[in-house]
Amino acid sequence: MTSTPLPSQPASRPASQPVGQDPAAYPGARPAAAPAYPGAQPAVAQGPVGPAPVLQARALRHSYGEKAGATLALDGVDLDIRAAESVAVMGPSGCGKTTLLHVLAGILPPTSGSVVHAGASLDSLSDAARTRLRRTSFGFVFQDGQLLPELTALENVVLPRMLGGTSRRAASAEASAWLDRLGLAGMHERRPGQLSGGQAQRVAIARALAGRPSVVFADEPTGALDQTTGHSVLQVLAEACQDAGAALVMVTHDPSVAATCERTIAMRDGRIAQQFHREGGAR
Amino acid sequence: MSLLSTAPLILRRRGGIATALPIIGFAASTGILATVLGGLGAFASRAAASPVGDGPPTAEASNLSFLMSCAIVATVLLVPSAMSLGSAAAKLSLSRRERDLAAVRLVGGTTAQVGALAVADVLAQALIGSLIGLLAHLAVSPALTALDFGMAPFSVGELLMPLWAYPVLVIAATLLAGASAGIGLAGVAISPLGVARDSRIVRMSVVRLIVWAALIVLFIAAFQILPRIVGGIPNGIGVLIAVLAILMALVIGSVNIVGPFVVWVVARIIAAVAPGPALLVGARRLAADPRAGWRAVSGITFGLVIAGFLTLTSMFGNMDETASERALSTALHTGGLLTLGIAAVLAAVSTGVTQTARVLDQARVYRSQHVAGATVSALQRARIAEIAIPLALAAIVAGLSAAGLLAPVMSGGFAVGAVAQYIASALGALGLVALSVAVSAPLVGRVARSDA
């Protein structure tokens, strides 16, 4: 897949950089000597190689339910996500891929093990601090977008920034630029119900990226779209993440979707069974 | 019907306030209907039993006919509110079943079967709630005999409805709930993958505002003009009161017509300029569904207008100082407070029920917002904005309506008392809203943090 150049970055940047973000995640701030990702990378990244990973998971275990009838969804996962890298998480239903996504994003606390983001362990954070972290450092794109149906496209993108304390005016300028870049010029005032599935998903992508996250988590982002629309949305997602310097962690069933990512993790029974590294991916 | 036989399996009970609230709603609705209708019956039986001779009617007899018309007015005011509480309870009951119903569609249930299942579920809850309501009505009736209506106290027997009326009431309340559920289902498409709500862009007509203003003007005009016309007619005062009471009921009813319009206009303005996220989300939600926003506070609005009505009746009560007039004044005062009290209970229960239904309706949205980094307190603030905007508007609309009702008699110099009474009622309304927000607050955190 070849990258088509996107329009230039939004001109206005928030005055204050969100707390806890890795400045290396931004193209402008990335060290000039940042190493390329060699295709011969070992299959399992057990320790930091090159720049510190933006997200580091160690010995993750997660079980649902009480002792006797507990289901082990994660069974000892070690994983590093490097800045601006794209990772697809694949595997059969029930293999723990969505659980892994939720644990990495601080939505679910792991039963044991740790997730470290920007030097801070997520399990040492309070629920409020993890919520703030999700708002300031992570972006989310889910299957059906989950936009607020009452808000306009622009307001949907603006809302997380306003929750973070950015003024409406500044957040709107930024959000407008993102929507325009993602091909939604002229649709800012439409409600999600007035947009097609692909357009709504682009709004969700703009919303995820407007907060300048270091990691974007996507769970079957094209699951509800037809193949053509799905591929164009994926391309937009991958390019926008790359452009913003955000890592992308995407759960998917679809091998052709996974093929757009640099790295594919195949999960089975709560463990990472295999990793593939792809050279010349979309990133 | 084979699918219906699986209903107990699919619609298994879930614990918590979401299960209890529809039943509480149905119980309050039926209990209040029985009590109000029983009270009306008590006045009717007294009026029928009073001696009708050739001579002039006794003081008590003439008071009774007047009180009878007041009781009818109070009944007319309270019954629609109690019935709408029943339909709100039906809607709440439906909204917490939507996912179960979608699952039934997924395993092959037809729309008709799912609809039947949903309505059957609501009917069962309405039946249970109505029976509990009747028990509450029976339990409360002895206490009501202590009320002083300026005449021989009512006995429990008088305050109860005739025996045949109870099964009729339970059946009627249950069927009404079923009908509300059926109407509620019409606006919702239950697909195997979930529930899609009718999301047309709402527009409100300015005609709503005109109707409300015209009715108030009509009432004021009638109050000024009618006394001169009816002066010479026998029983003229009765006709006057009847006409004014009907107009007053229309003014009160029209508050629910103008309310959604005002909410829609103001919410759109606020959404356009809102500086903070809570106000933006709250106002947008209101603009998208102003009727629902208004419904959440309409019970309170109603209470506030009743407060105006109460002030008006106390004006009638202060006209004379004969024993008969004093008795009448006592009766009107008791009746007014009773009406206000019942309206307050209705408002409290209906606000709690509608607020809980709103939270459950928006559970998925709350969940995704929380995942994306909205704190539970931010979600609560948006919800408070969503209630505070219509509440402030309700206080204004109700205040203007009550002022319209009171304008003709304000010149009598009772304004201070009326204003004090109104402020007290408004504060009571605020307390009720705070209570309803508090009741449904834990639910917001629960749905936001749920795994589903």
Side-chain angles (χ1 to χ4, degrees):
Chain A
M1 191 165 90
T2 52
S3 303
T4 46
L6 281 167
S8 62
Q9 289 245 29
S12 64
R13 293 212 172 218
S16 60
Q17 203 69 262
V19 195
Q21 280 198 352
D22 179 0
Y26 298 99
R30 195 181 290 165
Y37 303 119
Q41 189 83 10
V44 179
Q46 290 289 353
V49 177
V54 65
L55 213 53
Q56 200 171 32
R58 286 293 173 269
L60 283 186
R61 292 168 68 86
H62 187 81
S63 53
Y64 292 103
E66 297 302 314
K67 289 164 205 158
T71 315
L72 198 59
L74 293 181
D75 186 10
V77 172
D78 294 317
L79 180 65
D80 286 353
I81 307 287
R82 290 187 301 277
E85 127 178 91
S86 60
V87 179
V89 182
M90 292 194 73
S93 294
C95 70
K97 48 189 194 302
T98 294
T99 304
L100 176 63
L101 189 89
H102 286 178
V103 170
L104 288 177
I107 299 167
L108 280 179
T111 310
S112 67
S114 69
V115 177
V116 174
H117 170 74
S121 177
L122 261 53
D123 55 271
S124 67
L125 301 176
S126 66
D127 184 54
R130 273 187 285 125
T131 306
R132 191 164 53 243
L133 179 73
R134 291 200 296 272
R135 191 172 68 229
T136 56
S137 300
F138 298 159
F140 295 90
V141 182
F142 289 149
Q143 181 163 353
D144 54 357
Q146 305 207 331
L147 301 172
L148 295 194
E150 301 92 353
L151 267 59
T152 64
L154 181 69
E155 287 165 349
N156 264 294
V157 180
V158 161
L159 188 66
R161 307 288 293 129
M162 287 173 77
L163 281 167
T166 309
S167 79
R168 183 172 183 173
R169 183 190 290 264
S172 294
E174 248 183 306
S176 293
W178 271 108
L179 288 172
D180 290 351
R181 288 177 64 190
L182 298 180
L184 295 167
M187 299 181 192
H188 296 190
E189 295 308 312
R190 293 205 191 164
R191 305 281 155 80
Q194 298 169 294
L195 296 171
S196 71
Q199 288 166 341
Q201 212 53 331
R202 285 163 190 255
V203 175
I205 293 169
R207 182 182 60 181
L209 285 162
R212 313 209 148 272
S214 49
V215 187
V216 170
F217 294 96
D219 192 352
E220 300 281 5
T222 59
L225 303 176
D226 65 80
Q227 206 171 12
T228 315
T229 313
H231 275 278
S232 100
V233 164
L234 268 182
Q235 190 173 349
V236 165
L237 174 62
E239 287 170 358
C241 285
Q242 187 179 38
D243 208 29
L248 172 63
V249 181
M250 177 160 60
V251 163
T252 181
H253 274 101
D254 186 346
S256 68
V257 169
T260 63
C261 292
E262 290 167 339
R263 187 153 58 122
T264 298
I265 290 167
M267 289 193 70
R268 187 174 297 273
D269 300 330
R271 296 165 183 270
I272 295 181
Q274 263 184 310
Q275 285 202 68
F276 309 96
H277 222 97
R278 202 171 80 86
E279 216 167 350
R283 316 291 304 266
Chain B
M1 285 309 281
S2 58
L3 191 86
L4 278 182
S5 64
T6 66
L9 183 71
I10 295 156
L11 304 175
R12 64 196 181 281
R13 299 289 139 196
R14 295 200 186 111
I17 197 162
T19 307
L21 266 177
I23 292 180
I24 292 173
F26 288 126
S29 168
T30 312
I32 285 171
L33 274 175
T35 307
V36 168
L37 294 175
L40 181 65
F43 277 106
S45 64
R46 281 286 173 93
S50 68
V52 183
D54 295 330
T58 63
E60 180 162 329
S62 77
N63 276 359
L64 263 171
S65 71
F66 177 65
L67 286 178
M68 182 64 200
S69 57
C70 288
I72 289 171
V73 170
T75 307
V76 166
L77 294 179
L78 289 172
V79 165
S81 221
M83 281 163 59
S84 74
L85 172 59
S87 72
K91 195 176 168 303
L92 172 65
S93 172
L94 266 189
S95 68
R96 45 182 282 282
R97 284 289 176 222
E98 282 175 349
R99 206 182 320 166
D100 296 340
L101 297 173
V104 176
R105 288 278 286 127
L106 192 61
V107 298
T110 64
T111 307
Q113 283 173 318
V114 169
L117 207 57
V119 172
D121 183 42
V122 171
L123 288 176
Q125 291 195 39
L127 187 62
I128 295 168
S130 300
L131 293 175
I132 294 173
L134 286 191
L135 290 179
H137 156 70
L138 294 177
V140 160
S141 289
L144 293 180
T145 57
L147 291 174
D148 181 8
F149 284 99
M151 57 178 121
F154 287 118
S155 69
V156 174
E158 281 177 300
L159 287 171
L160 297 182
M161 299 194 299
L163 209 53
W164 60 264
Y166 286 96
V168 169
L169 181 66
V170 169
I171 291 167
T174 307
L175 289 181
L176 181 76
S180 306
I183 293 165
L185 278 175
V188 175
I190 299 175
S191 85
L193 296 176
V195 177
R197 224 161 281 285
D198 198 349
S199 59
R200 279 170 300 187
I201 304 286
V202 173
R203 295 200 178 282
M204 294 265 142
S205 167
V206 72
V207 170
R208 289 167 172 270
L209 184 67
I210 295 169
V211 166
W212 172 70
L215 282 170
I216 289 185
V217 170
L218 198 64
F219 175 80
I220 293 173
F223 202 99
Q224 302 294 342
I225 297 162
L226 279 182
R228 284 173 229 159
I229 299 173
V230 300
I233 306 171
N235 283 330
I237 195 80
V239 174
L240 174 66
I241 287 168
V243 170
L244 289 179
I246 289 167
L247 279 175
M248 185 187 295
L250 286 175
V251 169
I252 291 171
S254 72
V255 166
N256 282 332
I257 294 174
V258 72
F261 172 79
V262 177
V263 167
W264 181 69
V265 170
V266 173
R268 279 159 55 97
I269 294 170
I270 291 177
V273 300
L279 210 53
L280 171 64
V281 173
R284 271 287 175 231
R285 289 216 178 112
L286 287 172
D289 196 353
R291 286 188 195 88
W294 182 259
R295 244 194 326 271
V297 298
S298 63
I300 286 157
T301 317
F302 178 70
L304 290 174
V305 182
I306 295 279
F309 172 76
L310 183 64
T311 315
L312 191 61
T313 56
S314 70
M315 303 295 307
F316 281 116
N318 283 324
M319 283 185 298
D320 235 319
E321 278 305 320
T322 67
S324 157
E325 296 291 352
R326 265 200 302 280
L328 187 61
S329 170
T330 307
L332 286 170
H333 189 67
T334 307
L337 281 179
L338 186 64
T339 311
L340 188 58
I342 294 173
V345 171
L346 273 172
V349 178
S350 76
T351 309
V353 167
T354 41
Q355 285 312 316
T356 308
R358 298 269 294 163
V359 173
L360 291 175
D361 276 349
Q362 296 166 352
R364 209 175 58 90
V365 171
Y366 280 132
R367 162 79 180 151
S368 69
Q369 280 187 281
H370 184 56
V371 163
T375 58
V376 171
S377 63
L379 298 175
Q380 298 279 20
R381 279 197 297 277
R383 203 165 69 92
I384 289 168
E386 198 181 330
I387 302 164
I389 293 169
L391 182 71
L393 294 172
I396 293 167
V397 169
L400 288 176
S401 301
L405 296 178
L406 292 172
V409 286
M410 277 301 202
S411 52
F414 295 93
V416 176
V419 168
Q421 218 164 40
Y422 186 74
I423 289 173
S425 310
L427 289 177
L430 277 174
L432 284 173
V433 169
L435 199 69
S436 82
V437 171
V439 162
S440 43
L443 199 60
V444 174
R446 209 186 310 156
V447 300
R449 295 195 183 98
S450 68
D451 289 338

